[in-house]
Amino acid sequence: MTDSGYSPEEKQAVYRAIYERRDMRHFLPDPVDEAILQRILQAAHHAPSVGFMQPWRFIRITEPSLRRDIAATVEKERLLTAEALGERGQEFMRLKVEGVRECPVLLVVMLTDRREKYIFGRRTMPDMDLASASCAIQNLWLAARCEGVGMGWVSLFDPVELAALLQCPEGSEPIAILCLGHVDKFYDAPMLQQENWSQRKELQELVWFNQWGGAG
């Protein structure tokens, strides 16, 4: 059998990036080197995609007034989310849930328009475009962690409103606002876990056999 695995040191580095990846909200003002950013984006672009459709598009936000408008739409959704959470609303409002204003690099990840032409792997599961783009975001996240760059995924926005701000064509769809930048330190654990919003489930609770809830 051909040994195509990585060396112990290489495997340790891969697993370290996975386990130390964090959804960051606090950023330093220092700029991110352009070469580093390009490596991170290349890692995202080498994600798997169903039918090799590559549905991801990345919009870099460099205009200050546009950043302010994006921050405003995020804040509006933050308030609506707190209202929808009911009794946990006040607890939610105490959390720092985004770094749109502070991060040196701001990206919006889009699903491209005209995705309906991609049938391979999507005939019965059209949302595989979203799954594919999510893989690209995960690649970007892990590459950023390897480079010592923090990243936060913001999903608090109205997709129609954000698409209008970015003058996106009909059929395209924003799925993520990504905040990137250097950080003072990476959180020791996921921030929502540290803040006791929720805790990680045990793996054995989530792995079943042969049927829903099936015991091994």
Side-chain angles (χ1 to χ4, degrees):
M1 183 174 63
T2 303
D3 182 7
S4 56
Y6 292 177
S7 70
E9 293 77 17
E10 290 169 329
K11 285 188 282 189
Q12 183 180 14
V14 171
Y15 283 111
R16 179 184 174 190
I18 292 169
Y19 291 131
E20 293 185 1
R21 180 209 56 80
R22 295 288 180 265
D23 196 359
M24 300 302 297
R25 305 304 188 199
H26 303 83
F27 298 94
L28 299 173
D30 312 64
V32 176
D33 184 86
E34 186 65 24
I36 292 176
L37 182 57
Q38 288 303 312
R39 288 199 295 269
I40 292 171
L41 287 168
Q42 283 287 357
H45 185 47
H46 280 74
S49 62
V50 172
F52 206 45
M53 69 180 298
Q54 304 165 75
W56 46 76
R57 300 294 184 270
F58 303 97
I59 300 179
R60 292 180 64 176
I61 307 301
T62 59
E63 174 58 51
S65 62
L66 181 55
R67 181 188 286 249
R68 288 193 293 271
D69 289 341
I70 292 172
T73 196
V74 169
E75 177 62 14
K76 180 164 60 174
E77 179 57 29
R78 186 177 79 100
L79 296 173
L80 291 171
T81 298
E83 182 180 340
L85 283 167
E87 62 182 23
R88 296 201 79 181
Q90 289 300 318
E91 182 184 357
F92 170 79
M93 288 297 291
R94 290 192 291 270
L95 299 173
K96 182 171 176 57
V97 293
E98 51 88 10
V100 171
R101 297 168 184 81
E102 304 90 349
C103 65
V105 178
L106 189 64
L107 302 173
V108 176
V109 183
M110 304 287 305
L111 293 177
T112 187
D113 58 337
R114 297 189 293 274
R115 301 188 304 284
E116 64 278 359
K117 69 179 182 180
Y118 294 95
I119 304 298
F120 185 174
R122 298 182 66 240
R123 191 182 68 81
T124 59
M125 299 181 66
D127 54 355
M128 287 298 98
D129 53 359
L130 176 59
S132 299
S134 297
C135 289
I137 294 172
Q138 179 76 335
N139 269 19
L140 193 153
W141 220 334
L142 294 174
R145 182 62 188 89
C146 291
E147 297 282 1
V149 174
M151 193 195 99
W153 182 341
V154 181
S155 58
L156 295 167
F157 58 85
D158 181 327
V160 174
E161 185 175 330
L162 184 56
L165 282 175
L166 301 177
Q167 303 178 50
C168 298
E170 184 178 355
S172 63
E173 182 182 353
I175 61 170
I177 298 171
L178 304 183
C179 303
L180 289 101
H182 296 289
V183 298
D184 182 51
K185 64 170 292 188
F186 286 88
Y187 309 142
D188 294 329
M191 192 193 73
L192 293 182
Q193 183 173 316
Q194 291 186 149
E195 297 291 338
N196 292 316
W197 181 263
S198 189
Q199 299 298 314
R200 189 180 303 281
K201 295 177 172 61
E202 295 296 329
L203 178 60
Q204 57 265 32
E205 298 176 31
L206 311 178
V207 179
W208 298 331
F209 293 81
N210 303 314
Q211 64 184 34
W212 186 274

